[in-house]
């Protein structure tokens, strides 16, 4: 499905890939409001979209987006320990990626949802002062300080 072996391995180990041609499956394109190709959707087991990647990305960015999608899916399934771990992995392993600031934000939210301890949010707001301070995610976290 994807020419890079790292992507193929990641997908094979973590996802159930389904490939649909835009002209052969217009009903699916309509259902998921696909306007551009390629569009990669990460769906949960009930068929609800949890993450969307539109357009081509370099391998590293694409893998990071897939990992972000898995973290969001875990969060939406109330698996907060898993989602926190997945979000933190993105921040640690891909700190310069486009997804890192978003992952830092949601790692803090996951920690709060897991523990119901407001200190997790304060810690996340503080972390944004050190890293990703010029992002929209830092602005969203600023109310937790």
């Amino acid at each position: 499905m994807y020419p890079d072996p790292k992507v193929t391995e990641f997908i094979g180990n973590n996802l159930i890939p389904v490939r649909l041609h835009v002209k052969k499956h217009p009903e699916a394109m309509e259902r998921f409001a696909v306007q551009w190709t390629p569009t990669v959707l990460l769906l949960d087991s009930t068929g609800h979209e949890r993450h969307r990647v539109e357009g081509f990305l370099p391998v590293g960015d694409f893998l990071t987006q897939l990992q972000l999608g898995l973290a969001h899916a875990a969060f939406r399934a109330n698996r907060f320990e898993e989602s926190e771990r997945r979000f933190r992995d993105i921040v640690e392993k891909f700190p310069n990626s486009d997804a890192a600031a978003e992952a830092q934000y949601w790692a803090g939210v996951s920690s709060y949802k897991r523990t119901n301890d407001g200190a997790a949010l304060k810690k996340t707001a503080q972390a944004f002062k050190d890293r990703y301070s010029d992002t929209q995610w830092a602005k969203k976290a600023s109310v937790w300080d």
Side-chain angles (χ1 to χ4, degrees):
M1 274 185 81
Y2 199 87
D4 187 279
K6 288 182 277 186
V7 174
T8 302
E9 180 181 357
F10 182 86
I11 290 172
N13 290 337
N14 295 282
L15 303 166
I16 300 171
V18 175
R19 185 176 184 174
L20 301 174
H21 191 280
V22 66
K23 292 184 179 179
K24 293 180 183 175
H25 300 281
E27 70 288 348
M29 303 308 119
E30 185 177 326
R31 174 182 174 200
F32 293 107
V34 173
Q35 298 292 321
W36 191 245
T37 61
T39 296
V40 176
L41 304 174
L42 277 79
L43 309 176
D44 65 16
S45 61
T46 66
H48 288 95
E49 181 179 330
R50 295 299 175 221
H51 194 65
R52 175 180 292 242
V53 181
E54 295 173 310
F56 286 99
L57 289 172
V59 170
D61 293 322
F62 186 57
L63 283 169
T64 304
Q65 286 297 313
L66 292 176
Q67 291 178 11
L68 189 62
L70 289 175
H72 278 297
F75 182 85
R76 293 296 294 258
N78 297 325
R79 296 189 316 264
F80 301 121
E81 185 174 339
E82 176 188 348
S83 66
E84 181 181 359
R85 178 183 49 79
R86 287 184 179 278
F87 286 127
R88 290 199 191 287
D89 280 351
I90 293 166
V91 174
E92 290 171 17
K93 293 178 183 172
F94 307 100
N96 299 318
S97 70
D98 291 339
E102 179 179 352
Q104 182 166 296
Y105 178 90
W106 287 107
V109 174
S110 296
S111 179
Y112 172 74
K113 296 285 277 184
R114 179 178 57 79
T115 64
N116 203 29
D117 182 357
L121 299 178
K122 286 184 183 280
K123 184 177 177 182
T124 300
Q126 184 59 45
F128 273 108
K129 291 180 180 176
D130 299 330
R131 193 184 237 182
Y132 316 121
S133 60
D134 294 332
T135 66
Q136 68 172 341
W137 298 100
K139 292 174 188 173
K140 292 178 179 186
S142 67
V143 299
W144 302 334
D145 196 12

